[in-house]
C-alpha cells in the first residue's frame, strides 16, 4: 500500500506563492505517475497537474498553466508543486495522487489513480 502525505498548504494573499510537497512511504516514486487535484467547497475534484516520473513529462490544467510548476528534485520519494501568482479561485483542498499503470491520455482523470493523500488546504485571500 502506497501512502502519500501532502504538506505546505496555508493562507496566502492573492499574488503570493506556496510550495506543496507530496511524499511517499515507499523509497521512491520511480515508475509512477503523480498528480495534483484540488477540490473547492461544493465543486467536483479537478485536475491541476501531472508528472510522469520516468522522462519527467508534465501536464497542467489551463487554469494553472504558467503559474504552477510540478517537479521533482534529487529526493526520490518527494515531489513538489510550486504555485505562483495565486488567485482567490485557487482556494481548495489540494490532493496528491499516484498510480503505476496510468497512460498519458488518462492522467487528468481522478478515477484512474489508486493512491491518494489526505489533502492540504490552500486558501488565497483577495
Amino acid at each position: 500500500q502506497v501512502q502519500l502525505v501532502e504538506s505546505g498548504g496555508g493562507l496566502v494573499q492573492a499574488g503570493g506563492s506556496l510550495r506543496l510537497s507530496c511524499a511517499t512511504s515507499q523509497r521512491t516514486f520511480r515508475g509512477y505517475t503523480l498528480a495534483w487535484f484540488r477540490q473547492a467547497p461544493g465543486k467536483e475534484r479537478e485536475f491541476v497537474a501531472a508528472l510522469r516520473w520516468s522522462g519527467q513529462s508534465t501536464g497542467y490544467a489551463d487554469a494553472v498553466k504558467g503559474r504552477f510548476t510540478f517537479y521533482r528534485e534529487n529526493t526520490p520519494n518527494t515531489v513538489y508543486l510550486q504555485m505562483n501568482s495565486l488567485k482567490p479561485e485557487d482556494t481548495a483542498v489540494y490532493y496528491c495522487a499516484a498510480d503505476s499503470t496510468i497512460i498519458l491520455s488518462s492522467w487528468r482523470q481522478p478515477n484512474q489513480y489508486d493512491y491518494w493523500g489526505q489533502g492540504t488546504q490552500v486558501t488565497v485571500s483577495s
Side-chain angles (χ1 to χ4, degrees), residues 6 20 36-49 64 68 81 83 88-96 110 116-123:
E6 303 99 334
L20 305 184
W36 288 95
F37 291 83
R38 65 187 182 186
Q39 189 165 19
K43 295 187 176 182
E44 293 187 352
R45 191 166 297 190
E46 65 172 359
F47 171 78
V48 175
V64 307
F68 290 12
L81 182 69
M83 307 186 296
E89 51 264 44
D90 294 318
T91 295
V93 177
Y94 283 70
Y95 296 92
C96 179
W116 291 83
Q118 81 290 350
T120 185
Q121 176 70 46
V122 172
T123 303

Side-chain angles (χ1 to χ4, degrees), residues 99-121:
D99 199 277
S100 60
T101 62
I102 289 182
I103 58 176
L104 282 176
S105 61
S106 299
W107 70 355
R108 295 172 180 259
Q109 301 172 23
N111 61 3
Q112 298 296 308
Y113 292 83
D114 284 341
Y115 306 109
W116 291 83
Q118 81 290 350
T120 185
Q121 176 70 46

